[in-house]
Amino acid sequence: MLSEALTYIFAKSQNKFKSLGYLREAIAIEARHKRCHSAWSEHLKQSQQRITEAVEKTEGRNRIVLLGAGAGHDIPLDYLLSEFEEIHLVDVIFLKSIREKAKQSPAIKLIESDVTGIINPLFEDKNRINVTDLNLCPPDELLIGADLVVSCNLLSQLPINIKNRLVALGENEDSKELGGFCRSIINSHLKWLESCDASILLISDFERHLVPQDGAKGKIVKSNALFGISFLMPDHLWVWDIAPRPEIDRMFSLKHLVGSIYLQEKEAFKFKS
């Protein structure tokens, strides 16, 4: 805990991202990665393999853009350095470990950016905000010139801190309006990806599974991770043992069903009706 506290104090972060909890979240994820490294290894391996396969399917080798790059654990960075002239890593927070890697290569560019386009008004306004008045404006300039864009274990995370902020400002946590707005954040991200002049790789968790362990009573509890959105026929599926017992509960483990979808330029995602 002391290590995490010191990291929080000395980490570089824009005030708006720090205020909305992104720095605290990034530090917590890094700490969990260390505690659960063995349990996470298959997921990280799968994510890296899917990125490698997407690169092999993509003709251009000028620029790759990775959205949700985080600490880079799920990214085959050395391989990408051998393939691309420019590697743009995009996230709201970059901790020291990935900053140090970026210093070692001029090909790596770290871009601190909100890919939803909604954080500025949430940070600046201290009063209650009507969700129907909010406009989602993803930054199109981030994707210009890319040969391959990877949305990497990001999609389900996009609404979380935004939802928490809206609830803190007085929005009803269980309202249909807030749930619909969270779903629109996910849809906006997918439309943004589809609109760019590049190949696309989406890696995302689709379901969350609460799994009883070692004789615990009850069935596996499954929930949609994308506010009701379900994809039709992902290319690959695997399980991420994200919080093995007793990480969040003494008798239950949390597992995510994760998948990947690769799109050629101007292809569109397909959804279950």
Side-chain angles (χ1 to χ4, degrees):
M1 293 297 293
L2 177 59
S3 174
E4 293 179 37
L6 291 174
T7 300
Y8 186 87
I9 292 171
F10 293 108
K12 296 179 181 179
S13 173
Q14 296 182 43
N15 287 338
K16 58 186 177 182
F17 299 142
K18 190 172 185 178
S19 174
L20 293 179
Y22 289 101
L23 176 58
R24 180 175 62 253
E25 183 180 77
I27 294 170
I29 290 173
E30 185 68 3
R32 179 173 288 180
H33 169 261
K34 292 178 180 177
R35 292 193 302 271
C36 304
H37 181 76
S38 178
W40 284 25
S41 61
E42 180 61 23
H43 165 68
L44 300 181
K45 177 183 176 182
Q46 289 279 356
S47 296
Q48 292 186 19
Q49 182 61 33
R50 301 290 82 81
I51 294 173
T52 299
E53 291 171 354
V55 171
E56 293 171 350
K57 295 177 184 177
T58 302
E59 292 185 5
R61 289 294 189 274
N62 177 49
R63 179 184 299 169
I64 182 172
V65 177
L66 296 114
L67 309 170
H73 298 305
D74 45 8
I75 296 169
L77 194 54
D78 289 340
Y79 168 72
L80 298 180
L81 284 168
S82 71
E83 293 289 324
F84 288 92
E85 294 182 19
E86 299 178 12
I87 301 171
H88 289 192
L89 305 182
V90 182
D91 214 318
V92 290
I93 298 291
F94 291 106
L95 298 180
K96 184 178 179 180
S97 58
I98 195 68
R99 290 184 182 276
E100 291 297 324
K101 290 181 182 179
K103 289 179 181 179
Q104 298 172 13
S105 173
I108 301 175
K109 182 178 181 180
L110 301 184
I111 302 172
E112 294 182 4
S113 179
D114 159 36
V115 298
T116 68
I118 202 66
I119 286 180
N120 276 340
L122 289 180
F123 174 69
E124 294 165 356
D125 202 322
K126 305 300 181 182
N127 302 310
R128 180 166 182 171
I129 297 174
N130 190 331
V131 295
T132 60
D133 295 332
L134 293 171
N135 295 313
L136 295 160
C137 301
D140 291 335
E141 66 276 6
L142 283 183
L143 308 185
I144 294 175
D147 297 298
L148 175 62
V149 176
V150 181
S151 178
C152 193
N153 294 299
L154 171 66
L155 187 62
S156 69
Q157 304 304 302
L158 290 174
I160 293 177
N161 286 28
I162 294 171
K163 179 182 179 181
N164 291 341
R165 175 63 171 174
L166 289 168
V167 170
L169 292 174
E171 189 65 41
N172 182 347
E173 183 174 9
D174 300 317
S175 71
K176 291 183 179 179
E177 291 79 11
L178 184 56
F181 181 66
C182 291
R183 188 161 50 252
S184 72
I185 293 173
I186 293 173
N187 277 321
S188 174
H189 186 73
L190 297 173
K191 292 295 183 184
W192 180 49
L193 295 176
E194 291 174 345
S195 69
C196 77
D197 298 323
S199 299
I200 300 298
L201 176 66
L202 173 71
I203 301 175
S204 174
D205 51 333
F206 300 146
E207 294 179 358
R208 299 186 178 107
H209 299 172
L210 194 61
V211 182
Q213 298 290 312
D214 298 338
K217 295 181 179 180
K219 298 179 180 179
I220 297 174
V221 179
K222 298 181 180 181
S223 60
N224 184 286
L226 301 174
F227 290 86
I229 296 172
S230 297
F231 291 93
L232 188 65
M233 296 179 64
D235 300 328
H236 300 275
L237 288 171
W238 64 92
V239 174
W240 179 8
D241 193 4
I242 189 170
R245 182 185 65 86
E247 182 67 21
I248 60 171
D249 188 275
R250 189 169 59 87
M251 297 302 294
F252 290 84
S253 293
L254 178 63
K255 301 177 185 287
H256 285 185
L257 179 66
V258 183
S260 66
I261 300 172
Y262 176 82
L263 300 181
Q264 296 283 359
E265 184 179 339
K266 300 308 180 184
E267 283 189 322
F269 294 103
K270 297 178 181 179
F271 305 96
K272 294 180 181 178
S273 58

